[in-house]
Amino acid sequence: MAVENDILNIKLHVYDSDISVRIKREDEFFYREAAKLITSRVNTYADLYKGRKSEKEVLYMAMIDIALRYQKNKDANDTSAINDILEKLTLEIEEAL
């Protein structure tokens, strides 16, 4: 359990809102970077679809964009296939020895 000194109350500016959050001190950088990313993506879609899409649709587009980036990054870092091949090779080497 975190010591009270390890908890921060910070305000994040996300798009057009200030949000108060209570976070672990070591996560502050990541929260601030996440807020910047959200703001950037929402601004991009808001500029592209100004007057043609509702604010809700723009927010959904930004969420899909960020989720897609997350999924691609997660899949790119998936090493299960490599681990399976290494296990098979290790077994073959051990059997050969």
Side-chain angles (χ1 to χ4, degrees):
M1 190 160 173
V3 179
E4 189 64 29
N5 292 342
D6 291 334
I7 303 296
L8 292 177
N9 292 312
I10 64 172
K11 284 194 190 273
L12 296 174
H13 182 75
V14 180
Y15 184 53
D16 63 353
S17 299
D18 288 323
I19 300 171
S20 295
V21 292
R22 189 173 160 91
I23 62 166
K24 293 179 184 176
R25 181 178 301 277
E26 65 264 18
D27 292 338
E28 180 180 9
F29 172 79
F30 301 109
Y31 274 88
R32 295 198 184 279
E33 289 299 307
K36 287 178 190 175
L37 174 62
I38 293 167
T39 300
S40 170
R41 299 318 307 153
V42 173
N43 282 335
T44 296
Y45 284 104
D47 289 344
L48 284 171
Y49 295 103
K50 191 174 204 152
R52 297 185 303 171
K53 299 283 184 185
S54 70
E55 184 174 3
K56 183 177 176 180
E57 288 176 297
V58 167
L59 292 174
Y60 286 157
M61 288 178 188
M63 285 192 294
I64 290 169
D65 184 307
I66 293 167
L68 180 64
R69 291 170 185 229
Y70 170 80
Q71 287 300 124
K72 284 183 175 181
N73 190 41
K74 185 178 101 178
D75 290 345
N77 291 325
D78 182 13
T79 60
S80 60
I82 295 169
N83 290 337
D84 290 343
I85 292 170
L86 288 174
E87 277 184 37
K88 289 176 184 175
L89 287 173
T90 302
L91 285 173
E92 287 180 23
I93 291 170
E94 287 175 352
E95 287 175 3
L97 294 175

